[in-house]
Every structure is written in C-alpha cells, then in structure tokens.
Amino acid sequence: MYGLIWLTDLRNKLERIDLFIMLTSALCHDLDHPGYNNVYQINAQTDLALRYNDISPLENHHCAIAFGILSKPECNILKNLSSEQYKQVRGGMIKCILATDMARHNEILNKFKVTLPVFDFKNKEHKELMKIMVKVSDISNEARPMAVAEPWLDCLLQEFFNQSDTEKLKGLPVTPFMDRDKVSKPSSQTNFIRFVLLPLFTELTKLFPCLEVHLQFFHCTSNVLYLHLRKSEKGYFTKKFKKLADSFLS
Ligand SMILES: Nc1nc2c(ncn2[C@@H]2O[C@H](COP(=O)(O)O)[C@@H](O)[C@H]2O)c(=O)[nH]1
Ligand SMILES: [Zn+2]
C-alpha cells in the first residue's frame, strides 16, 4: 500500500486521514487469519461463521481483532484523534477491510467503474477508490518481481491445498480452485491474473496511467504462464515481449 500510494501520487490527491485509513487497513486486513477461507468457515459451521452469521466471517474477524489491538493503551495510535476523526477512521477501516472479501470483488469493482468517467478525488461519493486500493494491495503479489512473489505464491498454494485436503477429509464440498488434483501453479495464476488482476488493473489504469506498465506486465505474465501450460517453444516470444518480461523478471 505504501508503495502504491507513492506510485500513484495519492499523497497529493487524497486527504491525510484517508491515506492513514488505507495504510492501517492494509496492515490489519488479514489479522489472525486461520488459513481457511469464508466458504470453508460457512460449510464447516465454524465459530467465526456462527458469530458473524455467515456474512464475511473472516473480514469481520480481522477487523474486530484490529480494533481490539488498537484499543490497548500501548498500541492505541488513534488516541490523539478527535471523536469525529476516530469515527471517520473506524468507519473507513471497517469499509476497507470488509471490502477485501473476494466474494464482493465484482460488486466493488463495478461500483468503482461507475465513478470512473466523472472521477473526482475530492468527491466524498468516490471513496470506493480507497477500497480498491486496499484490495489491490491485498491481491497484487503477482505485480512484484518473481523472486519476491514466488515464495508467497508457494505459501498461498500450500494454504489452498491444505484447505481442500481438509474439506476432503471432513466430507465437505471441495473448493475447486484449491484442489491439488485440479490446479497447478501456472493454471492457478493464469486464471487469477486473467480473470481477477487484469480486469482490476485495466480499470485502475484509467485513473492512474502510470500503472500501464503493470498492466502490460500482467498480460505478459499470464501469456507466459498460459504458454507454459501449453508447453510452447521458447522461440515463440517476440523480442519486444521478451525484453519487457525480462526487465520485470530480473
Ligand atoms: N490464485 C491466486 N489467488 C490469489 C492470489 N492473490 C490473492 N489471491 C486470492 O485472494 C484472496 C485474498 O484473500 P485473503 O483473505 O486470503 O487475503 C486469497 O485467499 C486468494 O483466494 C494469487 O496470486 N493467486
Ligand atoms: Zn483477507
């Protein structure tokens, strides 16, 4: 999030309190994540699903844990805020953290798209951008150099496979994109980049043209992964394509 704020020059576009909300939300958005997603929580009728009535149980939990920590005197970075500012920070953080539930991805992206033709950084109705920025920070591991991204991807896939193994053991519905018998690293990432990251970055790039290079990178990566899936020949790549991909992958 910090890097994204600098990259998009949001420091000069948004109010400081909104930057604070985005940074703190990004930091807290996955607190005490148990490694099993909402679908699992609901199907397994876990304590979290029962507590939050099947409504974004994880994100509600992350947010509740965040405010529990922030209420401790030694952690309370909000203590000097006025009550009006506290209300704004708490309300903003709740919205941003709850927005990281991927089940709401299309709803949030579609709302953002509607604001784009008339987007105004000063318009209070256009705060959807803050949710989008937290979401982008949450899911854009693939935008980082491969040496940084891949170990985290390996952890994610391990988490996926662990969930689907548990689902199989407990006789619960098996989440298909987490099933080790159905997905591989390239297939998982090809789909995630094509169907989640590319549409998201396509819209965000309309507001921040500086992200164009990342959009191109996703096109390259998804193509590379897709070609890898098809076991294509190395010689397929054009020089320009290879140069761009290499510059990111090095
Ligand atoms: N296949 C991939 N899925 C990804 C990747 N990055 C994120 N994600 C998905 O998003 C959620 C984020 O939610 P969180 O609560 O776990 O933060 C994550 O669980 C994945 O489902 C990715 O690179 N590839
Ligand atoms: Zn999360």
Side-chain angles (χ1 to χ4, degrees), residues 137-138 140-153 214 217-218 221 248-250:
S137 308
D138 185 19
S140 57
N141 182 45
E142 278 293 342
R144 305 190 288 179
M146 192 182 271
V148 179
E150 201 167 18
W152 290 105
L153 171 60
H214 293 269
F217 177 51
F218 287 137
T221 314
F248 280 100
L249 299 179
S250 58

Side-chain angles (χ1 to χ4, degrees), residues 2-247:
Y2 180 77
L4 203 54
I5 288 172
W6 275 89
L7 192 66
T8 52
D9 196 28
L10 275 181
R11 282 188 330 140
N12 293 314
K13 295 183 170 104
L14 293 183
E15 287 176 24
R16 284 165 67 87
I17 195 158
D18 286 338
L19 297 175
F20 177 76
I21 291 169
M22 292 191 315
L23 283 164
T24 317
S25 301
L27 198 63
C28 297
H29 86 281
D30 262 348
L31 279 174
D32 200 35
H33 198 304
Y36 296 91
N37 76 359
N38 281 332
V39 173
Y40 178 91
Q41 302 295 330
I42 294 166
N43 288 338
Q45 300 176 11
T46 62
D47 288 349
L48 288 183
L50 292 178
R51 182 175 311 144
Y52 294 111
N53 303 310
D54 296 349
I55 303 166
S56 303
L58 285 177
E59 291 70 22
N60 272 301
H61 179 62
H62 304 320
C63 202
I65 293 285
F67 280 96
I69 293 172
L70 288 169
S71 71
K72 291 183 200 289
E74 68 274 23
C75 305
N76 193 350
I77 55 173
L78 311 178
K79 71 170 178 235
N80 291 326
L81 299 182
S82 68
S83 59
E84 202 47 46
Q85 286 170 325
Y86 177 81
K87 237 169 110 181
Q88 188 180 344
V89 169
R90 177 162 162 81
M93 278 180 65
I94 292 173
K95 282 187 188 145
C96 285
I97 294 177
L98 292 188
T100 61
D101 181 351
M102 288 303 285
R104 296 181 56 205
H105 180 79
N106 288 337
E107 167 214 316
I108 291 164
L109 183 57
N110 287 338
K111 273 194 196 154
F112 178 62
K113 273 190 204 172
V114 172
T115 67
L116 274 177
V118 287
F119 195 89
D120 176 1
F121 287 99
K122 304 233 172 319
N123 187 335
K124 293 216 178 327
E125 304 293 310
H126 294 177
K127 299 252 175 177
E128 211 67 16
L129 173 66
M130 292 167 64
K131 295 182 194 169
I132 291 282
M133 298 308 273
V134 175
K135 280 175 60 51
V136 168
S137 308
D138 185 19
I139 63 176
S140 57
N141 182 45
E142 278 293 342
R144 305 190 288 179
M146 192 182 271
V148 179
E150 201 167 18
W152 290 105
L153 171 60
D154 290 337
C155 292
L156 181 72
L157 290 181
Q158 213 178 323
E159 190 178 295
F160 282 2
F161 295 154
N162 181 50
Q163 176 171 325
S164 63
D165 290 347
T166 309
E167 288 168 336
K168 286 174 193 175
L169 267 174
K170 290 193 169 179
L172 295 169
V174 179
T175 308
F177 70 88
M178 295 186 174
D179 189 343
R180 64 171 80 242
D181 299 326
K182 296 205 172 92
V183 299
S184 62
K185 202 188 282 190
S187 74
S188 176
Q189 293 315 87
T190 306
N191 288 330
F192 190 72
I193 294 171
R194 288 195 161 181
F195 301 116
V196 180
L197 289 179
L198 273 171
L200 179 61
F201 271 75
T202 300
E203 297 311 318
L204 202 58
T205 301
K206 291 177 186 164
L207 195 59
F208 303 112
C210 62
L211 295 178
E212 175 66 31
V213 71
H214 293 269
L215 193 57
Q216 294 310 324
F217 177 51
F218 287 137
H219 278 293
C220 288
T221 314
S222 71
N223 287 344
V224 170
L225 289 167
Y226 182 65
L227 290 171
H228 175 82
L229 278 177
R230 291 175 49 191
K231 298 196 189 327
S232 287
E233 296 292 300
K234 270 190 190 160
Y236 176 88
F237 304 111
T238 63
K239 264 190 191 157
K240 195 176 162 199
F241 178 90
K242 194 169 182 313
K243 208 172 148 194
L244 184 63
D246 284 349
S247 71

